[in-house]
Amino acid sequence: MIVLRGKKQKPYLFKNKNDIIEALLSCGEKQKNLFNYACNLRDKVFLKKVEVRSVIEYSNMCGQNCNFCGMRSYSNIKRYVLTNDESLRYVDKLYQSGRRVILFETGENKNDIYFNNLSGLLKKLKKKYPDLVLNCALGNLTKDKYSKLREIGVERYLLKFETTSPKLYRKIKPSDSLNNRLVHMDMVKKLGFQLSSGSIVGLPGQDLDILAEDLLFIKKLDLSMGAVSPFIPNEMSPYAEYPAADLNLTLKFMAIMRIMSPAMLIPTVSALNLIGSNGQYLGLMAGANVITLHDGTPRKKEKEYIIYKIRRHRPKDDLFDIVRDAGLKCSDLSLI
């Protein structure tokens, strides 16, 4: 049993959706116990260490048309692609500062020349820094392109399923389908990547039953990293007038994820700070163990990478403070 403040607490047994929904509805002392239990499990597995990763937002060009995203293909924003020389300089700087985990994040771009340029950059980076852990979030690609990334040494691939409801998925991502997304996730996993995936809390049309299904599916996937983001209405998207996700519900989702999958990496995402004060700190206090520094994208380009609000929250060195405040320790090394 987990010991909380001198007393033993019975383990949480999420056998079905009803158990999960009950935890999602918890409040007061029950919610506090849920968070404490999640943190105790995290600390037991990861010895109070938090993985630090940097993100390079390589390009905002995207062929998908997600209704919640400011970078959707129909969005009238200024598009960009970083030069490889520019990206190399940033990685050199990050590596010299001690960083060993880097996420390359882009919109979904199926252009072969674009992919070859990016994969060539990643190949150079792995040759120059063999101990660098590369994580890619590039959207749906072909099997050949996934294979090429794996061959050059990319260890992780992030591909969220967003929601387990096929109907809701089609509404939020009319240019894709849930079945297609799951096929791509399966390809990624079979090729030997450490698969990162997850969902969005607070989507228009979502209910607790769907969220419970999402959590059961994350458990079934046996992921290296389970990521959850709160829905944030983007001013340029069709969902601009919908309310943002509830912070407490998002945090409870994170805590349940931790309890169901104790050895999984779970990031506390910057979007949490857009729906509540000290959101990312509270994410750590709900069981998260990864922070992402937005220190790999040129400042002049950051304003164009707008998945959520136009006015982004850009966490940088202040994240180290909230890790210390949570009683945890930062690690530039991979924790898995």
Side-chain angles (χ1 to χ4, degrees):
M1 290 188 181
I2 296 293
V3 178
L4 297 176
R5 297 180 180 177
K7 64 179 181 179
K8 291 183 178 179
Q9 183 179 356
K10 292 181 180 180
Y12 286 85
L13 300 176
F14 298 115
K15 296 180 180 179
N16 51 49
K17 286 193 294 185
N18 290 336
D19 291 342
I20 295 172
I21 290 172
E22 183 179 352
L24 288 171
L25 290 170
S26 65
C27 58
E29 192 67 21
K30 288 184 178 180
Q31 178 179 316
K32 187 177 180 180
N33 286 340
L34 181 75
F35 291 171
N36 285 341
Y37 195 91
C39 288
N40 271 281
L41 283 176
R42 175 202 60 204
D43 296 346
K44 182 178 180 180
V45 175
F46 292 98
L47 305 178
K48 295 197 172 185
K49 292 181 180 178
V50 171
E51 183 177 289
V52 179
R53 67 181 185 183
S54 287
V55 63
I56 294 179
E57 292 154 340
Y58 184 78
S59 172
N60 66 352
M61 296 179 68
C62 189
Q64 286 281 7
N65 195 33
C66 305
N67 282 324
F68 57 84
C69 182
M71 288 172 15
R72 62 201 297 264
S73 60
Y74 289 176
S75 183
N76 186 27
I77 62 172
K78 184 178 179 181
R79 304 291 177 172
Y80 76 85
V81 179
L82 297 183
T83 68
N84 284 4
D85 286 344
E86 196 171 26
S87 299
L88 280 167
R89 288 197 300 271
Y90 269 88
V91 174
D92 286 341
K93 182 179 178 181
L94 293 171
Y95 190 89
Q96 296 307 319
S97 71
R99 208 59 36 77
R100 295 296 181 269
V101 182
I102 294 182
L103 167 64
F104 273 81
E105 188 174 317
T106 76
E108 188 172 302
N109 189 338
K110 299 184 183 300
N111 182 275
D112 291 340
I113 296 175
Y114 167 86
F115 176 80
N116 289 336
N117 283 336
L118 176 54
S119 60
L121 167 65
L122 297 173
K123 185 175 181 179
K124 287 180 181 178
L125 290 175
K126 285 300 292 187
K127 185 175 181 180
K128 187 173 184 179
Y129 302 119
D131 61 334
L132 191 65
V133 177
L134 290 178
N135 185 359
C136 285
L138 315 179
N140 295 341
L141 301 176
T142 64
K143 185 175 181 180
D144 286 345
K145 288 177 179 177
Y146 292 135
S147 296
K148 186 171 183 179
L149 291 175
R150 191 69 194 100
E151 287 168 5
I152 64 179
V154 175
E155 289 91 347
R156 302 180 186 173
Y157 201 90
L158 171 59
L159 200 60
K160 285 188 177 182
F161 62 83
E162 318 291 16
T163 176
T164 50
S165 166
K167 184 178 179 180
L168 180 57
Y169 191 100
R170 180 62 78 177
K171 285 184 177 180
I172 66 172
K173 302 186 73 169
S175 53
D176 198 2
S177 71
L178 177 59
N179 183 66
N180 183 57
R181 192 66 153 188
L182 297 181
V183 167
H184 281 268
M185 288 168 56
D186 187 58
M187 276 194 284
V188 166
K189 200 166 186 180
K190 285 181 177 177
L191 285 168
F193 288 96
Q194 295 172 351
L195 175 63
S196 303
S197 192
S199 58
I200 302 174
V201 169
L203 289 167
Q206 186 186 69
D207 57 26
L208 294 181
D209 189 80
I210 292 174
L211 286 179
E213 289 284 4
D214 291 352
L215 283 160
L216 289 169
F217 188 57
I218 290 171
K219 170 67 174 177
K220 180 181 177 181
L221 285 172
D222 189 25
L223 299 167
S224 298
M225 177 185 287
V228 58
S229 299
F231 167 72
I232 306 289
N234 181 278
E235 299 92 329
M236 298 185 297
S237 77
Y239 286 178
E241 302 303 318
Y242 285 95
D246 177 75
L247 177 60
N248 266 325
L249 181 60
T250 308
L251 295 173
K252 285 182 280 189
F253 189 101
M254 293 172 66
I256 296 168
M257 246 196 327
R258 168 64 62 207
I259 295 169
M260 294 178 75
S261 303
M264 188 166 63
L265 295 179
I266 300 175
T268 180
V269 297
S270 59
L272 291 172
N273 275 30
L274 294 174
I275 59 172
S277 179
N278 300 317
Q280 282 193 280
Y281 167 76
L282 295 175
L284 293 174
M285 300 306 290
N289 66 331
V290 177
I291 59 171
T292 301
L293 298 178
H294 290 249
D295 52 3
T297 306
R299 175 69 70 174
K300 62 184 179 180
K301 302 296 185 184
E302 283 184 335
K303 63 181 180 180
E304 307 295 345
Y305 202 89
I306 44 173
I307 297 175
Y308 303 121
K309 283 185 176 292
I310 293 176
R311 186 178 180 181
R312 296 176 54 189
H313 175 72
R314 300 176 178 87
K316 293 187 183 294
D317 291 345
D318 58 331
L319 279 181
F320 294 124
D321 295 331
I322 69 168
V323 171
R324 287 190 291 267
D325 291 345
L328 303 168
K329 298 171 287 187
C330 291
S331 173
D332 285 320
L333 302 177
S334 169
L335 294 185
I336 56 174

